[in-house]
Amino acid sequence: MRIEIPREVERLGAVRFYGLQKVLELDSGLKGDVTPEPGTGIQQLPYEALYETGKQMAIVIPVRNERLRLIEGVLAGIPHQCLTIMVSNSPREPIDRFSMEKEALENFFQFVNKKALIVHQKDPGLAESFRKVNYTSMLNDKGQVRDGKAEGMVIGTLLASMAGKKYVGFVDGDNYFPGAVEEYVREYATGFNISQSSYAMVRVAWHSKPKIVASKLLFRKWGRTSANTNNLLNQLISHYTGFETEIIKTGNAGEHALTIDLALQLDYSTGYSVEPYHIINLLEKYGGIGKSHLQELKGQSIEVYQIESRNPHLHETGDKDHIKEMSYIAMQAIYHSPICPDELKKDIFNKMVRQKLLSNDRKPPKPHIIKPLCTIDLANLRDYLNSTLFARSQKMGFPTLSECLLN
Amino acid sequence: MRIEIPREVERLGAVRFYGLQKVLELDSGLKGDVTPEPGTGIQQLPYEALYETGKQMAIVIPVRNERLRLIEGVLAGIPHQCLTIMVSNSPREPIDRFSMEKEALENFFQFVNKKALIVHQKDPGLAESFRKVNYTSMLNDKGQVRDGKAEGMVIGTLLASMAGKKYVGFVDGDNYFPGAVEEYVREYATGFNISQSSYAMVRVAWHSKPKIVASKLLFRKWGRTSANTNNLLNQLISHYTGFETEIIKTGNAGEHALTIDLALQLDYSTGYSVEPYHIINLLEKYGGIGKSHLQELKGQSIEVYQIESRNPHLHETGDKDHIKEMSYIAMQAIYHSPICPDELKKDIFNKMVRQKLLSNDRKPPKPHIIKPLCTIDLANLRDYLNSTLFARSQKMGFPTLSECLLN
């Protein structure tokens, strides 16, 4: 991959937000093709380097009712050297969608001669293990694992760390273009290759997102939701730096990856706020604002890379409510952050009222926050997961981790 | 790339048509990941192998008025190790589209530190060189190089052979997904890696082609044109083998690649018939039917691979006339082949009349055929091209090959 070196950077405390990097070549060859190019502002990541990083990476696909046809394409796009982890929250009745997913995965991975993990979010073994280590922010009032993509991401991160991986990346299961999935994974590896820190995050900005407008495809650059979320996050940063900025281009980036070291430190906000909340949480903890967690970093900085994919993003289209909800919950996450300045709070509130998301006399709801994995007894949790998930829970009809560990 | 081994093959004379091969993994890792998998019917092509083949490959992009934005994406999808050749037939007035293309190419290749070739189909140096070696089938009655994609492909093949390449592949300049372009090139390399012969062709069958239907995307497997062309070519093959077959799935495959050795032997039919005509011409010359050219092959066979891409094919949509024309000219090419049996001829004629492409009392037009490059004095042609295209032809306002040889 040949890619721009980021020209801009915003520094807040230990956090570095790097400016958007454009991709010039998807495949820039092998090590022998690397030539010193001083002053061009471009660097080349040879295949071998991305491959080695990929070997240490787990790719998590959070799934809920996606069409199997699409999931199979996504699997084909994940490079062979990465571990694939599927965390499903698909219904098991009246049709057992999860068995179908499991079957498709087993079939695929048998032919590509590789291991993969699949687990159901509602597996009682999971909930049981979480209860034992008092990881209650992952549980609902019935004692089950909560619904939601963020919860699936936390489970995926946990499994990635149990599998001994250094990086965890997320891709959606409804992407129409396997080649785009492959590109995202390559971009994750590129970011981790460039990074100097063991606390790094890579976020993908879509080149464009095709929409059908008047029976033609329009390649939109920024959806309104993304523009709004990015704008608010940039205002938040500007407040503390004193300089207006447009550095954040990936506020809603579903395609992102983290080092496991960083992933274990972060709080997760549920629903569609998970992606913008990563930025907020980084600022809260490591931005040098308020209560500092800098000692956790052992002197390292946190590097956030933003890479613009070359492929457009073409996935199954959500409905309009979904878009509205996405924008609303992102605003809630910023609004309720302890570092959100009063002025921005007021702006966000007015916006919510204007958009008829909230009546004038109410307070915006607060997104549920999942505690960082580092705050729980991980060693014990891993033991519990190993024993409970490996023990059959036939009564519930859920397959167990041992069944899910393909191969 | 992990790919199926073809299960079926149709043999006619020296020609082997292999059945469609599906792709399982776009990136199957490095040599170390190759494990012996006897009996699975699947093989893995490691990155290094595809890379080495890519080094010997030129990718030709025939261009005519494609949007620069799209062309730039296509360039980003071509692996670094391949030589890129653009053959443009874009108008030079009232706006000089060709200079814009040249500028975009220069800009891109400066940043990726690689050489590329761009030439205009109407460059008088080209026409002059063709005249000198009596390559008149490439010229129109004004003595210029003829319009048409096939003519551009012949020029691209010529330049690829002059650059010392062993393979030439074609990709369209209007593809929306750089990742799909990269996949096509990888599939070309895969086919040539599998092949045992220096006379090989790789044809890509699209996984699907998204169409906008009632404001939604429908992923069509086969367009009607493709189905019709494939069906007629299969009937042609069946006539000579005595067994019905469905082997041909890539009759209209614009995405294809050839060994230079094979490309130099073939006649080119112009317009949209160029792709189906490759199949017909192979049968005519090497199918063991009628006048045989088998001595040209020095005992080798001709291997035709058909690979189904994992990515859908999303490109700028042509109009309906284009589709009709495509189908019509493919039928003309088969109709006029000396090996087309009378019965099939009658069927095709009736179809043309039924589809109102032709009136009952007329004969279908005959596509123009360009003579194979091997029949002309190639050594001389190369000398002429070197001298005439390198000499400035400022009066005409055309840039020359030397100007076009980007560095």
Side-chain angles (χ1 to χ4, degrees), chain A residues 52-67:
Chain A
E52 287 306 325
T53 306
K55 267 187 138 167
Q56 304 176 66
M57 200 186 313
I59 297 299
V60 175
I61 317 172
V63 163
R64 187 185 177 120
N65 273 339
E66 273 83 6
R67 284 192 281 165

PDB file of all heavy atoms in Angstrom, chain A residues 52-67:
ATOM      1  N   GLU A  52       2.870  -9.378   8.026  1.00  0.00           N
ATOM      2  CA  GLU A  52       3.328  -9.687   9.389  1.00  0.00           C
ATOM      3  C   GLU A  52       2.397  -9.065  10.432  1.00  0.00           C
ATOM      4  O   GLU A  52       2.096  -9.680  11.451  1.00  0.00           O
ATOM      5  CB  GLU A  52       4.772  -9.202   9.596  1.00  0.00           C
ATOM      6  CG  GLU A  52       5.823 -10.046   8.874  1.00  0.00           C
ATOM      7  CD  GLU A  52       5.752 -11.533   9.203  1.00  0.00           C
ATOM      8  OE1 GLU A  52       5.433 -11.880  10.352  1.00  0.00           O
ATOM      9  OE2 GLU A  52       5.987 -12.359   8.287  1.00  0.00           O
ATOM     10  N   THR A  53       1.954  -7.857  10.173  1.00  0.00           N
ATOM     11  CA  THR A  53       0.999  -7.213  11.082  1.00  0.00           C
ATOM     12  C   THR A  53      -0.326  -7.973  11.076  1.00  0.00           C
ATOM     13  O   THR A  53      -0.947  -8.172  12.124  1.00  0.00           O
ATOM     14  CB  THR A  53       0.780  -5.741  10.677  1.00  0.00           C
ATOM     15  OG1 THR A  53       2.062  -5.111  10.605  1.00  0.00           O
ATOM     16  CG2 THR A  53      -0.085  -5.010  11.669  1.00  0.00           C
ATOM     17  N   GLY A  54      -0.744  -8.397   9.885  1.00  0.00           N
ATOM     18  CA  GLY A  54      -1.995  -9.146   9.765  1.00  0.00           C
ATOM     19  C   GLY A  54      -1.982 -10.437  10.574  1.00  0.00           C
ATOM     20  O   GLY A  54      -3.010 -10.860  11.112  1.00  0.00           O
ATOM     21  N   LYS A  55      -0.818 -11.049  10.650  1.00  0.00           N
ATOM     22  CA  LYS A  55      -0.677 -12.297  11.420  1.00  0.00           C
ATOM     23  C   LYS A  55      -1.003 -12.086  12.892  1.00  0.00           C
ATOM     24  O   LYS A  55      -1.381 -13.021  13.599  1.00  0.00           O
ATOM     25  CB  LYS A  55       0.755 -12.802  11.311  1.00  0.00           C
ATOM     26  CG  LYS A  55       0.977 -13.782  10.204  1.00  0.00           C
ATOM     27  CD  LYS A  55       2.373 -14.368  10.277  1.00  0.00           C
ATOM     28  CE  LYS A  55       2.334 -15.851  10.006  1.00  0.00           C
ATOM     29  NZ  LYS A  55       3.676 -16.404   9.766  1.00  0.00           N
ATOM     30  N   GLN A  56      -0.816 -10.851  13.357  1.00  0.00           N
ATOM     31  CA  GLN A  56      -1.060 -10.550  14.770  1.00  0.00           C
ATOM     32  C   GLN A  56      -2.424  -9.880  14.964  1.00  0.00           C
ATOM     33  O   GLN A  56      -2.682  -9.287  16.001  1.00  0.00           O
ATOM     34  CB  GLN A  56       0.044  -9.629  15.287  1.00  0.00           C
ATOM     35  CG  GLN A  56       1.440 -10.203  15.091  1.00  0.00           C
ATOM     36  CD  GLN A  56       2.503  -9.215  15.524  1.00  0.00           C
ATOM     37  OE1 GLN A  56       2.602  -8.891  16.700  1.00  0.00           O
ATOM     38  NE2 GLN A  56       3.258  -8.710  14.571  1.00  0.00           N
ATOM     39  N   MET A  57      -3.252  -9.943  13.932  1.00  0.00           N
ATOM     40  CA  MET A  57      -4.527  -9.214  13.982  1.00  0.00           C
ATOM     41  C   MET A  57      -5.722 -10.162  13.946  1.00  0.00           C
ATOM     42  O   MET A  57      -5.719 -11.140  13.199  1.00  0.00           O
ATOM     43  CB  MET A  57      -4.605  -8.250  12.794  1.00  0.00           C
ATOM     44  CG  MET A  57      -5.623  -7.131  13.003  1.00  0.00           C
ATOM     45  SD  MET A  57      -5.862  -6.066  11.551  1.00  0.00           S
ATOM     46  CE  MET A  57      -4.203  -5.712  11.065  1.00  0.00           C
ATOM     47  N   ALA A  58      -6.721  -9.847  14.764  1.00  0.00           N
ATOM     48  CA  ALA A  58      -8.003 -10.536  14.654  1.00  0.00           C
ATOM     49  C   ALA A  58      -8.983  -9.566  13.992  1.00  0.00           C
ATOM     50  O   ALA A  58      -9.006  -8.384  14.334  1.00  0.00           O
ATOM     51  CB  ALA A  58      -8.513 -10.938  16.029  1.00  0.00           C
ATOM     52  N   ILE A  59      -9.770 -10.083  13.057  1.00  0.00           N
ATOM     53  CA  ILE A  59     -10.813  -9.262  12.438  1.00  0.00           C
ATOM     54  C   ILE A  59     -12.156  -9.743  12.981  1.00  0.00           C
ATOM     55  O   ILE A  59     -12.525 -10.913  12.833  1.00  0.00           O
ATOM     56  CB  ILE A  59     -10.779  -9.378  10.902  1.00  0.00           C
ATOM     57  CG1 ILE A  59      -9.446  -8.844  10.354  1.00  0.00           C
ATOM     58  CG2 ILE A  59     -11.955  -8.621  10.274  1.00  0.00           C
ATOM     59  CD1 ILE A  59      -9.168  -7.384  10.642  1.00  0.00           C
ATOM     60  N   VAL A  60     -12.858  -8.824  13.628  1.00  0.00           N
ATOM     61  CA  VAL A  60     -14.135  -9.149  14.255  1.00  0.00           C
ATOM     62  C   VAL A  60     -15.274  -8.675  13.348  1.00  0.00           C
ATOM     63  O   VAL A  60     -15.281  -7.529  12.895  1.00  0.00           O
ATOM     64  CB  VAL A  60     -14.247  -8.477  15.636  1.00  0.00           C
ATOM     65  CG1 VAL A  60     -15.629  -8.702  16.236  1.00  0.00           C
ATOM     66  CG2 VAL A  60     -13.160  -8.997  16.575  1.00  0.00           C
ATOM     67  N   ILE A  61     -16.196  -9.578  13.066  1.00  0.00           N
ATOM     68  CA  ILE A  61     -17.391  -9.215  12.300  1.00  0.00           C
ATOM     69  C   ILE A  61     -18.594  -9.312  13.241  1.00  0.00           C
ATOM     70  O   ILE A  61     -19.033 -10.409  13.567  1.00  0.00           O
ATOM     71  CB  ILE A  61     -17.624 -10.172  11.109  1.00  0.00           C
ATOM     72  CG1 ILE A  61     -16.306 -10.474  10.383  1.00  0.00           C
ATOM     73  CG2 ILE A  61     -18.660  -9.608  10.147  1.00  0.00           C
ATOM     74  CD1 ILE A  61     -16.452 -11.561   9.321  1.00  0.00           C
ATOM     75  N   PRO A  62     -19.105  -8.178  13.704  1.00  0.00           N
ATOM     76  CA  PRO A  62     -20.343  -8.235  14.482  1.00  0.00           C
ATOM     77  C   PRO A  62     -21.496  -8.466  13.509  1.00  0.00           C
ATOM     78  O   PRO A  62     -21.600  -7.775  12.500  1.00  0.00           O
ATOM     79  CB  PRO A  62     -20.438  -6.838  15.126  1.00  0.00           C
ATOM     80  CG  PRO A  62     -19.159  -6.125  14.773  1.00  0.00           C
ATOM     81  CD  PRO A  62     -18.629  -6.796  13.553  1.00  0.00           C
ATOM     82  N   VAL A  63     -22.320  -9.467  13.825  1.00  0.00           N
ATOM     83  CA  VAL A  63     -23.344  -9.877  12.863  1.00  0.00           C
ATOM     84  C   VAL A  63     -24.701  -9.863  13.535  1.00  0.00           C
ATOM     85  O   VAL A  63     -24.840 -10.249  14.695  1.00  0.00           O
ATOM     86  CB  VAL A  63     -23.027 -11.303  12.342  1.00  0.00           C
ATOM     87  CG1 VAL A  63     -24.231 -11.930  11.685  1.00  0.00           C
ATOM     88  CG2 VAL A  63     -21.856 -11.267  11.380  1.00  0.00           C
ATOM     89  N   ARG A  64     -25.692  -9.377  12.819  1.00  0.00           N
ATOM     90  CA  ARG A  64     -27.068  -9.513  13.279  1.00  0.00           C
ATOM     91  C   ARG A  64     -27.987  -9.539  12.070  1.00  0.00           C
ATOM     92  O   ARG A  64     -28.283  -8.497  11.493  1.00  0.00           O
ATOM     93  CB  ARG A  64     -27.443  -8.354  14.209  1.00  0.00           C
ATOM     94  CG  ARG A  64     -28.814  -8.559  14.830  1.00  0.00           C
ATOM     95  CD  ARG A  64     -29.272  -7.388  15.654  1.00  0.00           C
ATOM     96  NE  ARG A  64     -30.604  -7.665  16.126  1.00  0.00           N
ATOM     97  CZ  ARG A  64     -30.965  -7.740  17.396  1.00  0.00           C
ATOM     98  NH1 ARG A  64     -30.103  -7.476  18.336  1.00  0.00           N
ATOM     99  NH2 ARG A  64     -32.202  -8.033  17.722  1.00  0.00           N
ATOM    100  N   ASN A  65     -28.331 -10.747  11.672  1.00  0.00           N
ATOM    101  CA  ASN A  65     -29.290 -10.913  10.574  1.00  0.00           C
ATOM    102  C   ASN A  65     -28.796 -10.491   9.208  1.00  0.00           C
ATOM    103  O   ASN A  65     -29.609 -10.297   8.309  1.00  0.00           O
ATOM    104  CB  ASN A  65     -30.566 -10.124  10.858  1.00  0.00           C
ATOM    105  CG  ASN A  65     -31.532 -10.946  11.667  1.00  0.00           C
ATOM    106  OD1 ASN A  65     -31.440 -12.167  11.680  1.00  0.00           O
ATOM    107  ND2 ASN A  65     -32.455 -10.273  12.335  1.00  0.00           N
ATOM    108  N   GLU A  66     -27.497 -10.318   9.067  1.00  0.00           N
ATOM    109  CA  GLU A  66     -26.997 -10.003   7.730  1.00  0.00           C
ATOM    110  C   GLU A  66     -27.211 -11.205   6.813  1.00  0.00           C
ATOM    111  O   GLU A  66     -27.227 -12.356   7.265  1.00  0.00           O
ATOM    112  CB  GLU A  66     -25.497  -9.661   7.780  1.00  0.00           C
ATOM    113  CG  GLU A  66     -25.211  -8.206   8.062  1.00  0.00           C
ATOM    114  CD  GLU A  66     -25.262  -7.882   9.554  1.00  0.00           C
ATOM    115  OE1 GLU A  66     -25.419  -8.842  10.350  1.00  0.00           O
ATOM    116  OE2 GLU A  66     -25.170  -6.699   9.911  1.00  0.00           O
ATOM    117  N   ARG A  67     -27.358 -10.939   5.530  1.00  0.00           N
ATOM    118  CA  ARG A  67     -27.564 -12.036   4.597  1.00  0.00           C
ATOM    119  C   ARG A  67     -26.288 -12.859   4.466  1.00  0.00           C
ATOM    120  O   ARG A  67     -25.192 -12.304   4.352  1.00  0.00           O
ATOM    121  CB  ARG A  67     -27.978 -11.483   3.239  1.00  0.00           C
ATOM    122  CG  ARG A  67     -29.439 -11.027   3.255  1.00  0.00           C
ATOM    123  CD  ARG A  67     -29.936 -10.766   1.873  1.00  0.00           C
ATOM    124  NE  ARG A  67     -29.491  -9.466   1.379  1.00  0.00           N
ATOM    125  CZ  ARG A  67     -29.540  -9.117   0.111  1.00  0.00           C
ATOM    126  NH1 ARG A  67     -29.980  -9.967  -0.795  1.00  0.00           N
ATOM    127  NH2 ARG A  67     -29.147  -7.912  -0.269  1.00  0.00           N
TER     128      ARG A  67
END
